[in-house]
């Protein structure tokens, strides 16, 4: 992490002077360690020794994920989103085989689905008019894209919503958006008798969310899921997305 990037987020992390709890002396080293682990896609035990005890780092990442600290960091940066329009899409990532025998509780709670290809997780995301991430939700891999839309488009401040044909569901998505005065840029499925009019030029901006997924998957620990719990995996996504805002 660059010095300029650190200056923008250090006040958003715990352990600051005047706040309850111990004074943090190694927040930057810890954040760098988590970024290194997910960028390289390595086990925690393989982190370079200068980052410290890998068990402490893993426990701390689990705690920050569970308490929503990574999410709050991301949301603080995403307050500057351009809400002229939002784009939504989803991507599937394979879960490493170590997750097969280590699921904790209900598989749906851990956002793991099983198909012929093995275990997988679907990342649903929205980006703003500049292609910066603004929201995420995880589901099991075989879930329909609309499951994510039900969550992350609820109450969206965007003036327009852009999506592909997978989101062509009038009663479930398009109708409620139109009722709220939103512009809907979603092509109709070819089987529809009546094709919906939409802004073709604006629809071309949808490549921005594909570009974001490409940047997100530069983190090997996100392109392939190694985390056993959805909480830790989502925490890593929020941290990686924060780095997009800081770029």
């Amino acid at each position: 992490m660059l010095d300029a990037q650190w200056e923008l987020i250090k006040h958003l992390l715990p352990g600051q002077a005047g706040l309850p709890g111990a004074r943090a002396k190694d927040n930057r080293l810890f954040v760098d360690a988590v970024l290194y682990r997910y960028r390289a896609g390595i086990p925690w035990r393989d982190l370079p020794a200068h980052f410290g005890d890998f068990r402490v780092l893993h426990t701390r990442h689990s705690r920050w994920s569970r308490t929503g600290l990574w999410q709050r960091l991301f949301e603080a940066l995403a307050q500057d989103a351009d809400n002229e329009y939002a784009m939504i899409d989803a991507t599937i990532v394979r879960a490493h085989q170590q997750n097969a025998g280590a699921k904790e509780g209900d598989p749906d709670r851990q956002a793991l689905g099983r198909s012929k290809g093995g275990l997988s997780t679907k990342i649903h995301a929205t980006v703003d008019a500049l292609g910066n991430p603004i929201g995420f939700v995880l589901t099991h891999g075989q879930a329909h894209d609309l499951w994510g839309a039900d969550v992350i488009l609820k109450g969206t401040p965007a003036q327009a919503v852009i999506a592909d044909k997978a989101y062509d569901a009038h009663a479930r998505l398009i109708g409620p958006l139109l009722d709220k005065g939103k512009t809907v840029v979603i092509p109709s499925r070819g089987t529809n008798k009546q094709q919906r009019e939409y802004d073709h030029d604006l629809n071309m901006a949808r490549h921005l969310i594909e570009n974001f997924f490409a940047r997100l998957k530069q983190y090997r620990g996100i392109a392939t899921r190694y985390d056993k719990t959805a909480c830790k995996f989502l925490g890593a996504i929020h941290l990686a997305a924060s780095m997009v805002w800081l770029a």
Side-chain angles (χ1 to χ4, degrees):
M1 178 181 292
L2 300 176
D3 291 343
Q5 293 173 324
W6 175 246
E7 291 297 320
L8 292 173
I9 68 169
K10 65 180 183 180
H11 66 285
L12 299 172
L13 303 177
Q16 305 298 315
L19 296 177
R23 182 76 177 272
K25 299 180 181 178
D26 62 347
N27 273 347
R28 183 172 183 177
L29 185 64
F30 167 64
V31 173
D32 283 340
V34 178
L35 288 171
Y36 186 102
R37 188 263 174 173
Y38 283 94
R39 189 77 173 193
I42 58 175
W44 289 95
R45 67 175 64 87
D46 290 343
L47 279 170
H50 72 268
F51 285 125
D53 188 332
F54 75 88
R55 289 162 293 196
V56 175
L57 295 169
H58 176 256
T59 299
R60 192 173 178 186
H61 170 60
S62 299
R63 183 172 66 250
W64 283 28
S65 299
R66 185 177 62 255
T67 59
L69 197 147
W70 293 129
Q71 181 176 353
R72 291 194 295 275
L73 170 64
F74 164 73
E75 290 175 347
L77 296 171
Q79 288 180 354
D80 294 329
D82 184 335
N83 291 318
E84 181 181 354
Y85 52 85
M87 288 152 281
I88 183 171
D89 208 343
T91 186
I92 294 175
V93 297
R94 295 298 178 187
H96 191 267
Q97 60 184 5
Q98 69 181 16
N99 289 299
K103 299 190 293 293
E104 299 180 15
D106 183 358
D108 281 346
R109 291 183 57 194
Q110 302 308 333
L112 282 170
R114 186 180 295 277
S115 63
K116 290 183 179 180
L119 293 171
S120 62
T121 294
K122 181 172 284 190
I123 304 172
H124 305 260
T126 50
V127 300
D128 69 1
L130 299 177
N132 293 313
I134 51 178
F136 300 97
V137 67
L138 301 180
T139 62
H140 52 80
Q142 66 268 35
H144 195 281
D145 290 357
L146 286 169
W147 287 27
D150 292 340
V151 178
I152 51 180
L153 286 182
K154 186 177 182 179
T156 178
Q159 301 169 29
V161 174
I162 306 173
D164 60 26
K165 294 180 181 180
Y167 297 89
D168 179 20
H170 187 84
R172 184 170 177 177
L173 179 64
I174 296 173
L177 288 174
L178 292 174
D179 290 342
K180 294 177 182 177
K182 310 290 185 183
T183 299
V184 175
V185 184
I186 301 177
S188 299
R189 286 170 292 184
T191 55
N192 288 6
K193 293 182 179 180
Q194 184 174 356
Q195 295 293 301
R196 183 183 310 103
E197 295 287 337
Y198 66 95
D199 189 327
H200 290 263
D201 293 330
L202 193 54
N203 187 56
M204 293 178 66
R206 198 160 49 83
H207 72 90
L208 292 172
I209 193 165
E210 302 296 344
N211 295 348
F212 166 69
F213 280 135
R215 296 179 69 179
L216 186 64
K217 289 185 178 183
Q218 290 176 357
Y219 291 83
R220 294 182 64 187
I222 294 177
T224 299
R225 175 178 165 177
Y226 296 98
D227 293 297
K228 295 180 178 67
T229 65
C231 177
K232 286 182 284 188
F233 187 55
L234 185 58
I237 291 171
H238 280 129
L239 175 58
S242 297
M243 295 305 298
V244 173
W245 276 100
L246 293 170

